[in-house]
Amino acid sequence: MTLMGEKLATIGPEMVLSVGALLCLFLGLARSARVRHATPLIAGVSLVLCIVGPMAWSAARPAAPGEIALVLGLAATPMAAFLKITIASIGLLLLLVSYRTPDQLPQNIEIERSGAAFDPGQTTRGEFFAFFLMSLAGAMLCAGADGLVWLFLALELTSLPTYIMLVTTRQSTLAREATVKYFFLGALAVAMFLYGFTLIYGATGVTQLYTTPVTEGLATVQSVVAEWRQEGQPLPLMLLVGMGLAILGISFKIAAVPMHLYTADVYQGATTPMTAFLAFVPKTAGFASLVLLLGTLGWPLPEPIAAMLWIMAVLTMTVGNVLGLMQTSVKRALAYSSIAHSGYMLVGLLAGSAAMEAGQPVVASGIAGILFYLVAYGVANLASFGVLGCLKRQGEEAETYQDISGLHHRHPWLAAIMLISLLSLIGLPPLVGFLGKIYLFAPAFFTGEPAMIWLVVIALINSAISAVYYLRIAAAIYFGQPSEEVERDEQTARMTGSGIAATAAVVLGLGAGALGLTDMLAKAADQPGKVLIQPADTDGDEAASEDRSNIPSATAGRN
Amino acid sequence: MDVSMVKWIPWISLLSAAICGVLCFRRAWGVWAAPVTITAIAASFVVAMLAAPSGLLRDDDGRIADALGKSPHDIGQTVKAIDWINLNERDALMDDGSPPATLEEARGLADQHQSARIIESGEAGYSVRVPGLSANFSYYIDPLTLLMLFVVCGIGSLVAIYGAGYMKGDKGYARFFAAVSIFIFAMTSMVMGDNLVLLFLGWEMVGLASYLLIGYYFKKPSAAAAARKAFIVNRIGDLGFALGIFLTYMRYDTVVISEVLAMATSPEHVADWRDYWIPFLLMLGALGKSAQIPLYVWLPDAMEGPTPVSALIHAATMVTSGVYMIARLHPLFENSPYALPTVATIGGVTAFFAATIATSQFDLKKIYAYSTVSQLGYMFLGVGMGVRYAIFGGLFHLLTHAFFKALLFLTSGNVMHGTHGQLDIRKLSGLRHLMPFTCWLMLAGCLSLAAFPLTAGFFSKDAILVGVFEQGLAETDPNRWYVVLGVLGLVTAFLTPFYAFRAWFRVFMGPEKYEMGTEAHGDEEEHAHPSGADSHLIDEDHHAHDDKPHEASWLMLAPLFVLALGALFVGIIGYKPVKELVEGSTAVISTGKESLISADLNLTLIIQIASGIIATLGILTAAYFHWLNRQAGQNLADRLAGPIRVLENKYWVDEIYDLAIVKPLRLLGWIFQLVDTLLVGGLVKLFGWLPRLLGQLARPSQSGVLHGYGLSMLAGVALLVLLILLAAR
C-alpha cells in the first residue's frame, strides 16, 4: 500500500461522513421538497455506515493471527477506533434528537406552507445536516490525529460548523448574541492554542506527535521528549509554556476554567437539541486532543503542567457546580453542570495511565476513565437536553424550573427519562454515571499521591453539591404543580432518541463489563497514539512490526 | 440443575420489569402484566429450588455439612454473572507466571506487593491478592441464601397471584407489577450478592421499589407523605450502612463477603477499633430497614400502599433484610463485644414496645403493621444472640412470619376489598357469614402469630426464647440481662395473641354489623370487566354504601390457602430442614455447637409449655373482652382510659420526633437558606458581575459582556502561564 493510501485508510469514517455532508449540501438545494427532506436520512445513513461498515469489513476479512486488520481506518489507533464508534453512535442519537430542528424554523415552515416557489436562499436544511456531519468528522479526526497540524485542522473542522449551526437553527436575538460570543471567544482560544503549538514546534523542532507507519523513523514530539527524559534533562520552558497554552486554548472546547465563560450564555442561546450537540461533540474533540497532546509528555506529567491542570480541575468543577446551584433556568443549570463534568474528566487526565502497570486490568487508567466518561456523560446529557427539547411553553422552548414543574403528571415517560439522566449525572448506581465516576476517580486515588487523593475528595464533595441542583430539577418534575401552558411538542424522534439514551444509561451502567466495553477501553487507553496498523505483508518482517509496536515506549528514540 | 443457573434468578425479574414497563403504554395491554410477573417470579423460585441446593457443601450422609469452623469459601459457592466494578484488584503471580504453590511462596510473593494478602482457596491452594476494589454481579450461594430465596420467590409468587385479583381494574395495573418485578430483582440481588456493594445496591433498590409502591396512590396526600417519611427515615439508617461498608473495606481491603468473613473468623485475626465500630454502623442500616427502635416510625405509615405490597414488602420480605444482613455478617458482629447484646436489646425492647401499641390500635392494617415491628424485634432478639439455637430461631421465625404475616395482610386486604376500604375494627363485626373463607383463613394466621401450640409461629418463637434463656442461664458466665430479655419476650408472647385475636374476634365474631367504607375498589372498568368467578359477588352499583361486604374472588383466595397451610404446618415440616440450613450457613461459622446449659435442664420443654399456656391465656382474654362480653371490655377500657390514650397515640413518638428533630432541622434549614441567599448568592452575583465589570472598565460605552469575557479569559490564562513559569523554575 502506498503511503498516501495508508494514511487515507486511517480516516475511512471521516471520508464517509464528508461524502454524506457534501450530498446533504447539494440535495438540500434540490427543487423537489421530497429530495430536500431526504437530507436527514442521508446523514443517518452515513452515520450508520460509520458504525456498521468497519464491523462488516472486519467480519468479511478476518485478521490473520498476530495481525490487526486494517478496518476502514478504525485500526488507526485503538483510542481513535473507540472514539470514532462512540462519536458515530452518539451522533446518531443526536441526529434523532435534532432532525426536526430545521423544519421548525419559521422560514422553513413558511416555505412549506405557502407552496411558493422554492428559494434556495431561504432554506438552511441542507446546511444543517452537512455541518452536523462535518463537525462529527472533525471530532473523529481529532481522535486519530498524529501531528500538530492535523490536530489544529481537525479542531477547527469541529468548531467552525457549530457557529453556523448555532445561528441558523434559532430565530432569536439570543441565538445571534450567543453565536457572536462563541465565535469571537472561540477565535481567541484558537489563537491561544495555535501559539502553543508554535512553541511546541519551536522547542522540539517537529510537528509530528506520534510515529505512524507513514512517518516511521522520523523524530516526533514524543520521541524527543522521551530522549530528554532519558538523558535526565529538564524539559525546556518553551515546551512547557507551549503545552500550557495549547491546553488552555483547547480548554475552550471542553469548557474548563478559565475558558468557560461563554458556556452558559451560548448553551442557553442555542436551540435545545443544538445545546446537546455543543455539550458533547466539541468536548469529545477537546478531550481527545488533550489526551493526545499530554500523551507525548507521558504520565506522571511534568510538575508545572500537573499543577496547572490540578488548579483547573478544582476550579472547573467547583465553579460549574456552585454556579449551577444558583440558576433559575434548567438549561443554564445543565450548562454549568457541563462545565463541572469537564472538571471531573480533568481528574482522569491528571491521573493518566500512571497507575498502569503491566498486566493490570483496564480501568486502572485515567485515560480509560475519560473515554468511558465521555460515553456516560454523552448519553445522560443527550437524554436530559432531549427531554427539555420536547417541551414548549407557548411556542417558546421550555427552560425554567416552572416550565418542567409537574412534568411527571402530564408526561410520565419524559419525566422518567429525565430522572434517569439526572441520577446518572449525579453518579448514582446502578447507572452509567456511577461507573463513569468510579473509572475516573479510582485511578487518581490509586496513584496514592496526596495531591491526587485530595483532588478525588474535592471531586466527591462537588458531586454532592451537584446532587442538590440535579435533585431540585427532579423534585420540580415529580412534586411540582403542572403548568397548563407547557405542552409537549410532537417530537416522536426526539423522545425516542432521549429514551434510547436513558436506556443506554441503565444498560451500560449494569453491563459495561458484560458488553465488552471495558475490554475495548483497556485497549483504547493502553497508550494514546500507539499505532496498531501493521503492514499487510506481515511475513518477512516480523522484526519490523515488533519494532513498531514498541515505538511509544521510552526507549525508542530517534533511531 | 447446575448451581451456576442461579445467576439468572435476578435477571428473570428484571426482564419481567422491562416487559411490564412496555405494557404500561396501553391500558389494554396492562392485563398481561400479571401473568408475566407471576411467571417470572415462579420461574425464579423453581430455578432457585432446583439449582441452589446442588451448590451446597454436604457431608457423607448427604446432609448439609455443619458450618462450624469451616471457610466461607467452602460452605458456599460463588457464581459470577457479569463484571461490574473491577478496579486494579488482581492475583499476583510468581515470576514464571504461575500462582504460588506453597504457603512460603505465597508469603514471599505477598511481601513484594504493597498490602497484598494471602487467600487460602479450597483446592486451588493459595492466591496472593493485591488490593483494589472488586464488586461484580456475582452471587454467593450458601444455605442462608437458599432460605432467603425460598421466602422471597415463594411468598413473592403467591402475593403476585393475589395481587392479580386484588389490583384488577386499577388504572396502574401494569405499573404495579413493574414495581413488584423491580422489587424481586432487587431483593434477589441483595440476598444473593457476594459483595457488600451489590448487597447495598439491592438494599437501596428494594427501598426504591418500596417508596414507589407506598406512594402508589400518589394522588392521595397521606400516601405521598408516607412515602417521603419512609424515604427519609431509611436515609438515616442507610448512611450508617454505607459508612459501615466503607469501614469494612478499610479494614479488610475487600468488600467480597466470603473473604471478609474468612478474615474476620481466622484465628490470626486481631480485632481493632474498626472491628468495634463496623457492626454498629451496619446495625443502623438494619434498624432502618427492619423498622426497629428508634427508626421504626416509617413502617406503620407505609400501610398506605396497596395491601399486597404491605404483605410482600412490608411484612414478609423487605423488612427482614436487616435480620438477613445481621445473620449474613454475624461473624463481624461477634468481633465487637457490645454489638450483639445491643442488637438483642433493641430487638427485645422493640418487640414489647410495638406489641403494646398494637393492642390499642383500631385500624386492622395498623395493628398488623405494629405486629410486624414487634415480630421483627423477636427476630433481632434471635440473631442478636451468640447461641446457635437462637440464631436458628431468628431465621426460622423469619420464614414462619413470612407465611403468617403475609396471610394476615392479604386476608385484611380481602376485608378491605369486600367493605370498600373499611378497616376500623370498631365499625366491623360478625362478618363470619359474609366472608367465611377470609374468616377461617385469618384465624389460621392469627393462631400462628399467637404462637398457639403446634402452629408455625409456636416453634420459631420458642426457638428464639429458648436460645435467649440458654444464654441467660448459661452454666459458665451467665448473663442475667438475657433473662430479663427472655421474660420481656414471654410478656410480649402474651400481648401478641391478645392483639391478634382482639382484631379477629371484633371483625368476625359477635353480632353482624358493619359500616361500609367510602373507597370503591378499582374504578369504572371493573363493572365492564366480564369477570367469571366473581361477577356474582360484585353488586351492580359498586359505589352504593348500602351493599354488603362480599367474599373475595377465587384468584385471591387460592394463594391464601397455601399461605394458611404454611402458617399452620411449616413449624412441624420445616423445623429440621431449616435447622440444617441455618447450621450449614455462614451465620454460625464461629458459634459453638454444644449447649451452654446442663443437659438435665430441659429448657425447650419448659419454654414450650410455658408459652403454650401464655398463648392460650392471651387468646382467652381477648375472647372474653372482645367477643363474649364486649361490654366488660368497654368498661375496662374506660377505667384504663389514661394508659390507653398513651398507647392509642403510639406514645406520641411521631410528635416527639417532630419536636426534637424535624422542627430544629427546619430552623437549621431556614438559617442555611438565609446564609445561602445572603452569602453564597452574593458571591455568585459577584462572579456573574466580574466579567461585566471588567468589560465596563475596558470599554465604558458598551454593554461589554463579550469584552469582559475575553479579558477574564486572558487574565486566567496569564495567571496559569505565570504559574507554569514559576513552577518550572
Side-chain angles (χ1 to χ4, degrees), chain B residues 102-123:
Chain B
T102 63
L103 189 58
E104 278 68 45
E105 280 187 17
R107 288 225 169 98
L109 193 57
D111 288 340
Q112 293 167 19
H113 293 271
Q114 207 184 347
S115 61
R117 60 176 198 281
I118 301 167
I119 295 170
E120 285 178 58
S121 46
E123 318 88 58

Side-chain angles (χ1 to χ4, degrees), chain A residues 25-36:
Chain A
L25 211 49
F26 288 124
L27 296 182
L29 298 177
R31 272 190 181 284
S32 147
R34 272 201 46 240
V35 177
R36 293 203 300 275

Side-chain angles (χ1 to χ4, degrees), chain B residues 6 9-10 138-141 145 149 188-194 324:
Chain B
V6 294
I9 293 174
S138 152
Y139 305 118
Y140 179 68
I141 308 299
T145 319
L149 283 177
T188 46
S189 299
M190 190 189 87
V191 300
M192 290 164 68
D194 91 324
Y324 163 76

Side-chain angles (χ1 to χ4, degrees), chain A residues 237 265 326 357 360 509-510, chain B residues 84 88 90 680 684 709 729:
Chain A
L237 194 56
D265 290 355
M326 299 302 148
E357 285 171 26
Q360 270 179 316
L510 286 170
Chain B
W84 188 38
N88 250 353
R90 64 196 193 278
V680 183
V684 168
Y709 281 174
R729 288 289 135 217

Side-chain angles (χ1 to χ4, degrees), chain A residues 241-536:
Chain A
V241 173
M243 275 289 174
L245 281 173
I247 293 168
L248 285 164
I250 295 174
S251 296
F252 182 85
K253 313 279 181 219
I254 63 171
V257 173
M259 312 296 279
H260 68 289
L261 288 159
Y262 72 95
T263 319
D265 290 355
V266 171
Y267 284 16
Q268 193 184 17
T271 179
T272 308
M274 203 43 221
T275 314
F277 189 90
L278 286 180
F280 174 73
V281 179
K283 187 169 282 192
T284 309
F287 270 105
S289 315
L290 286 179
V291 169
L292 288 173
L293 270 180
L294 293 177
T296 59
L297 298 179
W299 283 272
L301 296 170
E303 198 114 292
I305 301 287
M308 185 183 83
L309 279 174
W310 196 92
I311 292 173
M312 282 171 67
V314 171
L315 285 179
T316 305
M317 52 188 145
T318 314
V319 167
N321 281 323
V322 171
L323 294 186
L325 203 57
M326 299 302 148
Q327 300 307 314
T328 50
S329 151
V330 178
K331 213 166 158 187
R332 276 184 88 89
L334 289 175
Y336 278 112
S337 96
S338 166
I339 298 177
H341 285 281
S342 286
Y344 303 146
M345 282 190 264
L346 285 176
V347 177
L349 196 63
L350 258 169
S353 44
M356 291 271 273
E357 285 171 26
Q360 270 179 316
V362 207
V363 276
S365 147
I367 305 305
I370 291 179
L371 297 181
F372 189 76
Y373 206 80
L374 282 171
V375 180
Y377 177 70
V379 291
N381 160 67
L382 193 141
S384 55
F385 279 118
V387 169
L388 217 51
C390 286
L391 298 173
K392 283 237 178 317
R393 176 189 280 269
Q394 295 171 336
E396 280 299 306
E397 289 190 343
E399 55 179 47
T400 64
Y401 279 95
Q402 283 92 45
D403 292 348
I404 56 156
S405 165
L407 181 66
H408 170 62
H409 299 290
R410 296 164 60 87
H411 306 297
W413 286 101
L414 283 180
I417 293 171
M418 191 70 162
L419 182 70
I420 290 174
S421 65
L422 290 173
L423 295 182
S424 180
L425 286 171
I426 297 176
L428 287 186
L431 300 169
V432 70
F434 167 72
L435 271 193
K437 276 190 178 155
I438 287 221
Y439 288 172
L440 264 187
F441 299 156
F445 187 79
F446 284 127
T447 56
E449 288 169 36
M452 294 303 278
I453 291 173
W454 275 108
L455 190 59
V456 173
V457 171
I458 295 170
L460 291 180
I461 293 172
N462 262 289
S463 297
I465 298 176
S466 75
V468 177
Y469 61 86
Y470 287 132
L471 290 181
R472 191 186 294 160
I473 300 175
I477 289 176
Y478 278 87
F479 302 121
Q481 284 304 313
S483 160
E484 290 300 317
E485 292 167 0
V486 178
E487 54 201 26
R488 204 182 97 194
D489 199 8
E490 271 315 313
Q491 291 269 12
T492 323
R494 192 166 291 175
M495 198 176 138
T496 315
S498 316
I500 295 174
T503 316
V506 180
V507 171
L508 291 179
L510 286 170
L515 295 173
L517 203 62
T518 44
D519 294 341
M520 275 178 82
L521 279 171
K523 280 196 207 113
D526 188 15
Q527 296 258 359
K530 177 177 179 181
V531 178
L532 285 181
I533 293 182
Q534 308 214 343

Side-chain angles (χ1 to χ4, degrees), chain B residues 392-412:
Chain B
F392 153 67
L395 291 169
F396 191 30
H397 201 55
L398 191 159
L399 172 73
T400 58
H401 175 260
F403 276 102
F404 65 72
K405 194 50 70 64
L407 177 62
L408 286 172
F409 269 111
L410 295 183
T411 45
S412 62

